[in-house]
Amino acid sequence: MIMPLHSVRWDVVVIRVGIVGAAGYAGGELMRLLMGHEGAVLTKLVSRTHAGKSVSEVYPGFYRYDLPDFQEASVSELADICDAVFLASPAGAAWPWIKELTSLNPEIKIIDIGSDLRLKDASLYEEWYGYTHGAPELLSEAEYGLTELHSAKIQDARLVANPGCYPTATILALAPLIHFGLVRADSLIVNALSGVSGAGRTPGQGYHFPECNENARAYGLLRHRHIPEIEQELAAISKAGGYDGTVSLSFTPHLVPLNRGILVTGWADLASGVNVDIESLRETYEGFYEGKTFIRILPPDQIPQTKAVLGSNYCDISVRVDGRTKRVLVMSAIDNLVKGAAGQAIQNMNLMFGEPEDRGLKSAPIWP
């Protein structure tokens, strides 16, 4: 017996969806979540590595689900049969797809889960990613897809840059502090922990079980490629709050032996003359994120933990004030494959097609 996908409701917009890089972890998560989306129909799954295979040959958990097989790339077919395309491609691989897809079908909507649309300054790609961006004209058009901060612009967008997982957790944690000028924006220090799935599905020695199990290690010291993305967005938040946009971030990521999850711990010095306590700071956060379904500002007796958001699209945030050092401590936790990738991408798709932001994303976290 083949398990059918959900029945598309007559009162829901039908969105024909293609996924490029569907066999990777982000692509697999997109498939899992979209199978529970009332309006999405998976029409084309692209994977060069696994072309010709059924999805269940690569992801055994999808056995007996009615899904198309993985296929070789066909830009013209995607442009012809898809309303929305998700690109889950390595850095530098997405922009040629975007350029050709939009040329063949100017109405198609594209959400790039990779990095090729995130930075507004094309020269930063060579500096931080090691390649020359071949379509800088796309950067000015693309909206940055952090839905809690840019929902109005995303609704009218044709191209959306899905944020990185570390930037999502970091920006959401720091945004209220920067927007209201509560901290010195040149004093930001962030340590972040990530599960191994954040490195993708391509095998590598550092992600081999004996290498990463019972181990924790920092990487990307001083030059992690997500730094300019985080600084770019925090600078924009600063300017939107009426400040000068000067932001300086020290960011250190760590690999820890988890399958999924990101935990961010950030510190910042209180701005001159600012005097806040935990109650007023929590009120500031709750007001800033009022009505944002997937942001949970935790009560004072709780702190974020990766297990509490596992498999969900939530971002949990907690704040503290250190009166002794005059610093603010803020923590956040997300599932890197959901809120940090596929879930947020579906949020963006929903907005782009005028659908409720939480459609297909209402699953509660998995515990234990």
Side-chain angles (χ1 to χ4, degrees):
M1 177 181 176
I2 298 295
M3 299 178 68
L5 300 181
H6 56 82
S7 297
V8 178
R9 285 172 30 188
W10 67 268
D11 58 337
V12 174
V13 173
V14 175
I15 307 169
R16 300 171 300 165
V17 175
I19 304 174
V20 177
Y25 287 141
E29 199 70 355
L30 277 168
M31 289 188 288
R32 181 181 75 85
L33 294 170
L34 288 170
M35 283 191 288
H37 191 290
E38 295 168 318
V41 177
L42 290 166
T43 58
K44 190 167 181 67
L45 305 176
V46 175
S47 171
R48 290 194 178 107
T49 304
H50 299 287
K53 295 180 181 178
S54 68
V55 172
S56 64
E57 288 180 82
V58 180
Y59 282 102
F62 291 138
Y63 178 58
R64 295 176 73 178
Y65 280 88
D66 186 15
L67 290 164
D69 291 344
F70 292 124
Q71 299 177 22
E72 283 278 5
S74 173
V75 180
S76 59
E77 188 178 0
L78 279 169
D80 185 50
I81 67 173
C82 296
D83 305 303
V85 173
F86 295 95
L87 298 173
S89 307
W95 67 259
W97 283 85
I98 300 168
K99 195 167 182 177
E100 191 168 354
L101 281 168
T102 53
S103 174
L104 292 170
N105 181 359
E107 302 300 317
I108 201 166
K109 297 183 186 296
I110 297 172
I111 300 101
D112 181 24
I113 297 180
S115 60
D116 284 15
L117 295 177
R118 292 175 186 162
L119 301 178
K120 295 301 182 184
D121 182 349
S123 67
L124 292 175
Y125 282 97
E126 189 164 353
E127 179 182 352
W128 291 87
Y129 285 86
Y131 72 90
T132 300
H133 199 293
E137 69 278 4
L138 298 173
L139 304 179
S140 59
E141 178 184 351
E143 294 296 341
Y144 190 73
L146 195 54
T147 53
E148 285 73 22
L149 303 182
H150 303 297
S151 59
K153 292 182 178 179
I154 292 167
Q155 289 174 14
D156 299 323
R158 178 177 67 155
L159 307 179
V160 166
N162 214 57
C165 48
Y166 281 133
T168 294
T170 301
I171 296 166
L172 291 174
L174 293 172
L177 299 175
I178 300 299
H179 179 79
F180 293 111
L182 298 177
V183 298
R184 287 178 44 204
D186 62 351
S187 70
L188 307 179
I189 299 175
V190 169
N191 289 309
L193 312 179
S194 174
V196 182
S197 62
R201 204 174 188 192
T202 303
Q205 181 175 331
Y207 314 117
H208 186 43
F209 183 81
E211 302 277 345
C212 62
N213 186 48
E214 298 185 18
N215 191 21
R217 60 180 174 87
Y219 66 98
L221 301 180
L222 306 180
R223 297 290 300 173
H224 191 273
R225 57 179 54 180
H226 282 157
I227 290 174
E229 179 183 345
I230 298 169
E231 289 186 339
Q232 168 186 277
E233 295 306 309
L234 290 178
I237 292 166
S238 170
K239 291 177 181 177
Y243 299 93
D244 67 6
T246 300
V247 172
S248 179
L249 172 73
S250 295
F251 178 80
T252 307
H254 300 75
L255 184 73
V256 293
L258 301 172
N259 288 337
R260 295 168 177 251
I262 284 181
L263 182 67
V264 160
T265 302
W267 289 96
D269 295 338
L270 284 168
S272 178
V274 172
N275 185 21
V276 293
D277 55 25
I278 186 172
E279 289 80 13
S280 63
L281 201 52
R282 286 190 71 254
E283 288 177 4
T284 297
Y285 270 73
E286 288 176 342
F288 188 82
Y289 287 120
E290 184 178 3
K292 304 303 181 183
T293 302
F294 295 113
I295 303 294
R296 304 192 296 193
I297 309 302
L298 301 183
D301 62 343
Q302 296 184 30
I303 57 174
Q305 49 186 318
T306 58
K307 181 70 80 173
V309 295
L310 182 66
S312 80
N313 200 51
Y314 287 114
C315 175
D316 285 357
I317 299 174
S318 176
V319 287
R320 300 288 190 276
V321 180
D322 187 343
R324 182 181 64 85
T325 61
K326 306 298 181 185
R327 294 191 183 106
V328 173
L329 165 66
V330 58
M331 302 182 71
S332 66
I334 64 171
D335 184 320
N336 57 290
L337 293 179
V338 187
K339 184 58 177 169
Q344 185 153 244
I346 292 170
Q347 269 187 278
N348 286 318
M349 181 192 76
N350 287 337
L351 288 174
M352 294 165 84
F353 284 89
E355 293 295 287
E357 192 173 330
D358 63 353
R359 180 151 285 159
L361 298 171
K362 298 177 182 178
S363 297
I366 300 167
W367 188 288

